[in-house]
Amino acid sequence: MESKRVSFIDGLRGFSLLGILLANLLIFQYGMFGKEYINSSSLLDEGALKFVKIAVEGSAMPIFTVVFGYSLIKLVESIRKKGRKSRWSIVRRSIGLIVLGLLHATYLWEGDILLFYGGIMLLLIPFINRKPKTLFIWAFVLFLLTTAIGYGHVEETEKEQQEMMQYVEKSNVIMANGSYDEIYDFRNNVMPPGFEDPILIIMLLFFAPLMYAPMFLFGMGLAKIRAFEDMDKERKWYVIGSFFVPIGLIFKALSQIENDWSSIFLLGGSIILSIGYISFFALIYRTEIFTRVRKIFENVGKLSLSNYILQTIICTLVFYGYGLGFYGQLGVATGVLIGLVVYSLQCFASTLYLKKLKRGPLEVILRMWTNFSLSGKTKVKEVKPIHAGE
């Protein structure tokens, strides 16, 4: 017996992929560090950049993180209903995501998130059996702590700024004109200024999971209380949560003003906005107008892993030198338009694909590895009958 699949979670996963794509397009177009040095050539590009920075960047991935935590609990429930222990399945799924992430980051693109998700999955194992209240408390406390860490303002020295600009300029040339081998070599062997120190790398690896842990735990807690399974009864919570949208937008807009509070407004505002988006999406999800299109979001969400990698393949071919070579040339507004076109094509393709098959190619592989089964299904543990006299 399978754990009940929540269609809203599939839809939310699909919706988050749109935001992730729009945010990632800044990296596809300008690089991980170059996106902080974009010189907008028009008011349209400047407006598009502000829109992405305030309304999208930093608030799309937390939505996916909530879905990830929610789905983790659903996976555990499904395995346990079949009489199996879930721990090794979770470990295998984690390893599978780490391997996919390493391949993705090494051979395609430096902005991978699968490696991070696979790693933090191991850290979440001790929380799987915790009560919802415990998960929500941990999520809130970690949210406060990680947001408070952002207080303060560190200014780059003139030398550091020059070194970073030199790195960005070199990166721009390689990404726009280089062959696949040249881009592969640069991405994997040339470190950005300031990242040569192994101590800094260790600190980043330690703090990165903590930054998103609150949303993972929040998603796990929502799954434990069966959120989104009876959406009509929860409508009042969606209304309340939707007020987080303007609050989050205001905080993120304030973060654009450089001062000691900028990072706090950015970190806190990003999370608050993501919760607002989830609530608002839930609020409109069952409305008559949205009913006509929600299946499209669900289809994209069901193929999220394959669609995520496909976004990388398409965008690197559009912008990198071994493809069309439009790196840094089209502007942010055009990049947003490209993102909408790519996502629309994925909506169409995902809908057609799921008419013939139940799962995407990468979803099938990960499922087979997770359940350690060629069929991809968790084997039901046979219960031996107890005979009289035993």
Side-chain angles (χ1 to χ4, degrees):
M1 181 171 60
E2 294 284 345
S3 178
K4 181 181 178 182
R5 191 176 187 108
V6 182
S7 60
F8 171 76
I9 292 298
D10 287 326
L12 186 61
R13 187 186 293 111
F15 171 68
S16 70
L17 276 180
L18 172 59
I20 288 172
L21 174 59
L22 294 180
N24 284 344
L25 271 162
L26 291 181
I27 306 175
F28 285 124
Q29 287 183 273
Y30 302 99
M32 186 70 72
F33 297 92
K35 69 184 180 71
E36 304 302 330
Y37 298 90
I38 298 174
N39 292 317
S40 301
S41 57
S42 68
L43 288 176
L44 182 61
D45 275 343
E46 182 65 28
L49 181 60
K50 291 293 185 185
F51 166 76
V52 174
K53 287 285 186 181
I54 295 173
V56 182
E57 192 177 48
S59 294
M61 194 166 127
I63 298 175
F64 197 86
T65 303
V66 169
V67 172
F68 188 91
Y70 191 104
S71 301
L72 175 60
I73 295 300
K74 287 298 180 183
L75 174 64
V76 170
E77 290 177 352
S78 177
I79 294 171
R80 290 178 177 176
K81 282 182 179 180
K82 294 176 181 178
R84 295 285 179 179
K85 293 183 178 180
S86 60
R87 180 164 299 180
W88 284 111
S89 295
I90 300 304
V91 171
R92 283 195 297 270
R93 192 173 188 84
S94 172
I95 293 172
L97 288 172
I98 289 172
V99 171
L100 285 174
L102 284 172
L103 293 173
H104 184 216
T106 302
Y107 295 103
L108 290 176
W109 184 54
E110 68 271 23
D112 172 76
I113 60 172
L114 299 178
L115 177 61
F116 165 72
Y117 275 66
I120 200 170
M121 199 172 191
L122 294 174
L123 300 179
L124 295 175
I125 291 177
F127 292 96
I128 287 175
N129 294 324
R130 303 285 79 81
K131 295 179 180 179
K133 182 178 179 181
T134 303
L135 293 172
F136 289 137
I137 290 174
W138 270 98
F140 184 68
V141 171
L142 287 175
F143 166 70
L144 293 179
L145 290 175
T146 52
T147 302
I149 290 174
Y151 181 77
H153 180 59
V154 180
E155 290 190 12
E156 290 182 317
T157 64
E158 186 175 340
K159 180 182 178 182
E160 289 172 336
Q161 289 178 347
Q162 290 178 349
E163 289 177 345
M164 182 56 75
M165 286 301 299
Q166 290 172 358
Y167 172 83
V168 169
E169 289 172 3
K170 184 177 181 180
S171 174
N172 290 343
V173 173
I174 295 293
M175 297 300 177
N177 305 296
S179 65
Y180 175 83
D181 289 338
E182 289 171 332
I183 292 175
Y184 170 88
D185 180 70
F186 181 82
R187 188 175 59 242
N188 291 290
N189 296 309
V190 180
M191 296 296 291
F195 285 80
E196 304 90 344
D197 188 351
I199 296 178
L200 176 62
I201 301 298
I202 293 173
M203 289 179 63
L204 289 175
L205 291 174
F206 175 77
F207 282 110
L210 292 179
M211 301 304 295
Y212 286 97
M215 299 304 278
F216 280 111
L217 296 171
F218 183 58
M220 292 169 69
L222 289 176
K224 293 261 187 176
I225 63 172
R226 306 290 178 190
F228 310 120
E229 292 187 15
D230 191 347
M231 299 186 72
D232 291 332
K233 289 184 178 180
E234 297 172 349
R235 182 177 174 81
K236 65 176 182 179
W237 295 108
Y238 307 153
V239 173
I240 294 171
S242 295
F243 285 102
F244 281 20
V245 173
I247 296 172
L249 289 173
I250 291 171
F251 280 5
K252 290 187 73 176
L254 291 173
S255 75
Q256 301 297 300
I257 305 171
E258 290 290 340
N259 56 54
D260 288 343
W261 293 89
S262 298
S263 293
I264 286 183
F265 283 132
L266 180 61
L267 295 171
S270 295
I271 299 299
I272 290 171
L273 182 58
S274 66
I275 294 175
Y277 282 154
I278 293 171
S279 301
F280 183 72
F281 191 72
L283 186 62
I284 66 172
Y285 194 72
R286 295 175 65 84
T287 59
E288 184 177 349
I289 296 176
F290 199 75
T291 299
R292 300 177 182 178
V293 299
R294 71 185 187 193
K295 190 67 178 178
I296 296 175
F297 286 103
E298 291 172 15
N299 291 337
V300 175
K302 288 177 181 178
L303 305 177
S304 59
L305 181 58
S306 296
N307 276 325
Y308 171 67
I309 298 298
L310 185 58
Q311 288 176 358
T312 293
I313 294 172
I314 293 173
C315 291
T316 51
L317 287 175
V318 169
F319 295 106
Y320 285 7
Y322 56 79
L324 298 178
F326 287 133
Y327 190 89
Q329 296 182 25
L330 301 181
V332 180
T334 303
V336 170
L337 180 61
I338 289 174
L340 294 175
V341 170
V342 169
Y343 186 80
S344 298
L345 290 174
Q346 287 190 309
C347 289
F348 178 72
S350 296
T351 300
L352 287 181
Y353 182 93
L354 288 172
K355 288 182 178 180
K356 301 293 183 180
L357 299 167
K358 291 178 64 177
R359 297 179 181 86
L362 292 180
E363 283 79 7
V364 169
I365 293 172
L366 185 61
R367 183 181 173 88
M368 290 168 60
W369 169 248
T370 299
N371 295 323
F372 219 55
S373 165
L374 289 176
S375 67
K377 296 180 179 179
T378 305
K379 296 179 181 178
V380 179
K381 188 174 182 180
E382 295 182 4
V383 180
K384 294 181 180 181
I386 300 176
H387 300 288
E390 289 188 0

